[in-house]
């Protein structure tokens, strides 16, 4: 049976030492988010995830969703768990109090999302999609739409979806065909088919609000001709209750590799009534609000799966007895030593651990900047924070989901043949993690976003929000002997990143295919350096705590040892990534298409 315990101690370390909760509660509007309150919220959230959501994860995977007569039934226990979730107010944790939310920082919500994704990713999809719909509507909806619909999304009695994908288009949304025609009464009639719609139909809420991309009759071609519409499953009555059925129905659900308890629906819109969200033809802008938040959220899905995979791998490695330690018997009273003594097993465990803890710190820092971008009193600080988030979004999405998949795979490997068996529980994590690398823009598309958009934006201004603080921290760390062994590998990797950036900027200007060819390797190189930066900060804080004799010494010592592993065993991958980047596009583009 798989296990899961929310990593409260590590989250607390990240919040207190890497981000600084005092800085968070100093932001206007977050005065109530004191360290005590945040601690209580996370402890309660941990309990919900461990005791309510996690026990449904494997059974949900085994049972999957049911589709009968156009209706979807979620697996046993999901409805009750969802009721528990919304009754306790979790859906509105970081939402605006004006609509019934609790107004807590996004950072706190993102930490909770990690727990949810570890405990039950399929379950997490339903509230996650609702939050995405809330974000888009809160930013671009008219006052009337906001008043009417946001309180329902915040209290969780209604849920939301993102309807972008169509049978012929996923990445290239410029070619969508769904149509919207004005109905003469201020609304629109939407017609078209959307596929792969998560939470498109289910039995958890009394109504579902679809955010749908469609084209108006006079729309220009491409992404500049896409508008966003709000289309409810049931038309709301004047008193806010769900009324008549709208022209939208679920045609079928997908039978798929993972997240089986999350419904993935074909949604048919036929003269469905909807309302414009934002301006005509500017739907992509509104959708990007939803997608950017969703991209960070998907990165956190990867982190959640990495954590639970790691925990299960360690648990098994302590129990499983096979072979004897190469340095002499470690458990003489047993027929064999636990496999955790073997260097290769430890390498697997430490890889998952170092990536997971590094990602948690980097994810928290990014989420903190989201809060600063929204709440800080100073406009320039808000802009800088927003640009940091923009830069980090493709990295968090792609790197963390790769880490999630790799860690799940590691957990299977550590379990040996037992890992391949469904009952053990870890092969589900591999299957569940795989989609995170694909949806919300594939990881390849994230890499193109990084090199094609974020790198050149405003003459490299976004980039400087990362390069400058990293450079400064490296310089400062060089002055401290005790950081020497950690900062030297980081300084070398950072130099490689700077070289790679210059190379791509130079070659990519002349030939965009050069930038495209380097993109995925560059994102990985960037991500490894970003994690190295997080590890340097963590080491410094851990050393300070040990020197002061404060807190749990074993925890801080483990941090330092894991940092050493990261800097010496994982970060050097930046060297080979640089060599691959420098090899350019030719080896990829040389082979004629017909020869494939
Ligand atoms: C379980 C599940 C849930 C989903 N949930 C939702 C949802 O709720 N709402 C929604 O709208 N969609 C959803 N999707 C759809 C998902 O977002 C798309 O599958 C994804 O964006 C990729 O689109 P595609 O499948 O059409 O692949 P394609 O766009 O056909 O891409 C195929 C491959 O080509 C690559 N590629 C494509 N274009 C380029 C390019 N220009 N340069 C380089 N490489 C390129 C891609 O990286 C990919 O590897 C979901 C999908 C699944 C499977």
């Amino acid at each position: 049976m798989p296990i899961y315990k929310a990593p409260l101690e590590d989250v607390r370390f990240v919040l207190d030492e890497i981000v600084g909760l005092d800085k968070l509660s100093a932001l206007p509007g977050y005065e109530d988010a004191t360290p005590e309150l945040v601690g209580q919220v996370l402890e309660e959230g941990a309990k919900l995830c461990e005791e309510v959501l996690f026990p449904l994860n494997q059974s949900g995977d085994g049972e999957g969703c049911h589709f009968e007569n156009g209706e979807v039934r979620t697996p046993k226990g999901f409805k009750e768990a969802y009721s528990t979730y919304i009754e306790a107010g979790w859906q509105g944790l970081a939402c605006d109090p004006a609509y019934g939310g609790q107004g807590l920082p996004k950072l706190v919500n993102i930490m909770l999302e990690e727990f949810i994704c570890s405990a039950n990713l399929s379950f997490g999809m339903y509230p996650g999609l609702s939050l995405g719909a809330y974000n888009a509507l809160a930013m671009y909806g008219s006052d009337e739409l906001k008043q009417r619909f946001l309180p329902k999304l915040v209290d969780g009695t209604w849920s939301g979806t993102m309807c972008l994908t169509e049978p012929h288009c996923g990445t290239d949304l410029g070619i969508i065909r769904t149509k919207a025609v004005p109905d003469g009464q201020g609304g629109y009639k939407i017609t078209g088919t959307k596929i792969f719609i998560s939470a498109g139909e289910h039995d958890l809420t009394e109504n579902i609000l679809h955010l749908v991309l469609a084209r108006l009759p006079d729309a220009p071609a491409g992404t500049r001709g896409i508008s966003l519409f709000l289309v409810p499953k049931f038309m709301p009555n004047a008193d806010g209750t769900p009324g008549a059925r709208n022209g939208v129905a679920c045609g079928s659900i997908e039978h798929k590799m993972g997240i089986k308890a999350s419904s993935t629906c074909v949604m048919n819109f036929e003269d469905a009534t909807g309302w414009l969200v934002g301006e005509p033809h500017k739907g992509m802008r509104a959708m990007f609000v939803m997608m950017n938040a969703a991209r960070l959220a998907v990165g956190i899905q990867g982190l959640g799966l990495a954590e639970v995979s790691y925990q299960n791998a360690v648990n098994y490695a302590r129990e499983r007895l096979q072979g004897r330690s190469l340095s002499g018997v470690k458990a003489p009273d047993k027929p064999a030593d636990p496999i955790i003594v073997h260097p290769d097993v430890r390498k697997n465990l430490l890889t998952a651990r170092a990536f997971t803890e590094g990602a948690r710190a980097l994810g928290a820092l990014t989420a903190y900047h989201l809060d600063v971008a929204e709440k800080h009193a100073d406009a320039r600080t808000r802009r800088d924070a927003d640009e940091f988030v923009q830069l980090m979004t493709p990295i968090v999405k792609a790197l963390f989901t790769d880490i999630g998949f790799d860690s799940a795979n590691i957990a299977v490997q550590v379990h040996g043949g037992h890992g391949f068996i469904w009952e053990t529980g870890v092969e589900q994590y591999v299957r569940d993690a795989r989609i995170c690398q694909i949806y919300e823009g594939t990881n390849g598309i994230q890499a193109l976003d990084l090199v094609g958009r974020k790198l050149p934006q405003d003459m490299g201004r976004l980039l400087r929000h990362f390069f400058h603080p990293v450079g400064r921290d490296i310089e400062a760390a060089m002055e401290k002997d005790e950081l020497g062994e950690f900062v030297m590998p980081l300084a070398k990797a950072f130099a490689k990143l700077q070289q790679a950036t210059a190379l791509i900027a130079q070659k990519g200007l002349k030939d965009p295919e050069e930038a495209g060819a380097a993109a995925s390797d560059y994102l990985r190189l960037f991500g490894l350096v970003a994690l190295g930066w997080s590890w340097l900060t963590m080491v410094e804080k851990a050393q300070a705590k040990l020197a002061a004799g404060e807190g749990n010494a074993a925890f801080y010592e483990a941090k330092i040892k894991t940092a050493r592993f990261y800097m010496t065993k994982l970060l050097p991958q930046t060297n080979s990534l640089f060599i691959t980047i420098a090899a350019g596009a030719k080896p990829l583009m040389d082979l004629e298409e017909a020869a494939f």
Side-chain angles (χ1 to χ4, degrees), residues 162 164-165 170-171 196-198 264 435 438-440 442 445 448:
M162 285 172 66
L164 290 73
T165 309
T171 301
F196 297 160
I197 304 308
S198 301
T264 305
I435 187 59
I438 296 171
Y439 57 22
E440 280 317 322
T442 62
I445 296 300
L448 289 177

Side-chain angles (χ1 to χ4, degrees), residues 85-148:
Y85 180 84
I86 62 169
E87 276 159 22
W90 292 110
Q91 185 66 40
L93 195 69
C95 296
D96 190 340
Y99 303 107
Q102 299 183 42
L104 279 174
K106 291 185 163 50
L107 170 60
V108 179
N109 200 52
I110 282 178
M111 294 286 107
L112 173 72
E113 279 177 7
E114 183 205 310
F115 299 169
I116 295 174
C117 297
S118 287
N120 193 328
L121 177 56
S122 284
F123 178 90
M125 293 292 287
Y126 298 97
L129 265 299
S130 297
L131 192 59
Y134 166 89
N135 285 331
L137 211 51
M139 183 154 283
Y140 286 101
S142 64
D143 282 345
E144 197 209 331
L145 288 182
K146 287 199 252 190
Q147 295 302 338
R148 222 165 148 195

Side-chain angles (χ1 to χ4, degrees), residues 384-573:
D384 288 353
D386 178 58
E387 289 179 349
F388 180 80
V389 175
Q390 283 187 48
L391 177 68
M392 296 316 289
T393 297
I395 294 166
V396 167
K397 196 282 176 179
L399 179 74
F400 289 17
T401 58
D402 284 350
I403 287 173
F405 181 73
D406 291 347
S407 300
N409 218 5
I410 280 173
V412 169
Q413 195 67 21
V414 169
H415 279 77
H418 298 275
F420 199 68
I421 306 303
W422 182 82
E423 280 79 3
T424 309
V426 288
E427 59 84 48
Q428 182 190 346
Y429 300 136
V430 177
R431 290 185 287 102
D432 284 358
R434 192 63 186 86
I435 187 59
C436 305
Q437 297 169 301
I438 296 171
Y439 57 22
E440 280 317 322
T442 62
N443 285 1
I445 296 300
Q446 302 303 319
L448 289 177
D449 179 45
L450 179 65
V451 297
R453 251 189 239 145
K454 307 292 164 67
L455 236 62
Q457 200 168 315
D458 292 318
M459 310 280 287
R461 197 171 78 206
L462 264 57
L463 213 51
R464 288 194 284 278
H465 293 305
F466 178 80
F467 278 22
H468 286 180
V470 175
R472 270 197 310 269
D473 286 356
I474 288 176
E475 231 172 83
M478 290 282 198
E479 304 291 316
K480 298 179 181 164
D481 284 349
E482 66 278 18
L483 288 176
E485 62 167 313
F486 302 98
V487 72
M488 286 314 292
L490 180 60
K492 281 187 198 152
F494 185 48
K496 288 284 177 226
L497 176 62
Q498 287 171 309
Q499 274 176 280
T501 307
L503 199 67
I504 291 171
Q506 184 199 8
K507 281 197 193 175
L509 263 185
K510 284 190 218 128
D511 179 1
E513 225 148 51
E514 286 289 346
S520 291
D521 292 326
Y522 180 75
L523 185 145
R524 182 88 185 170
L525 169 55
F526 202 130
L528 289 176
V529 171
L531 295 184
W533 181 40
S534 299
W535 272 113
L536 181 69
T537 318
M538 290 196 278
V539 165
E540 200 170 0
K541 301 289 181 183
Q543 285 178 342
K545 286 281 176 192
L546 283 173
E550 288 172 9
N552 178 358
F555 175 85
Y556 297 123
E557 275 157 14
K559 270 278 168 234
I560 292 168
K561 286 176 183 168
T562 309
R564 189 169 291 127
F565 171 83
Y566 183 80
M567 296 299 193
T568 55
K569 294 286 192 183
L570 298 179
L571 191 59
Q573 288 168 11

Side-chain angles (χ1 to χ4, degrees), residues 125 129 160-173 194-200 211 213 254 256-259 262-265 287 290-291 295 435-446 448 516:
M125 293 292 287
L129 265 299
T161 72
M162 285 172 66
C163 298
L164 290 73
T165 309
E166 298 184 6
H168 67 291
C169 76
T171 301
D172 188 359
L173 292 171
K194 298 285 179 179
I195 64 163
F196 297 160
I197 304 308
S198 301
L211 281 168
L213 286 184
E254 305 295 346
K256 55 194 196 291
M257 179 178 177
I259 55 167
S262 160
S263 61
T264 305
C265 309
M287 199 48 113
M290 203 147 112
M291 285 190 334
R295 283 175 177 178
I435 187 59
C436 305
Q437 297 169 301
I438 296 171
Y439 57 22
E440 280 317 322
T442 62
N443 285 1
I445 296 300
Q446 302 303 319
L448 289 177

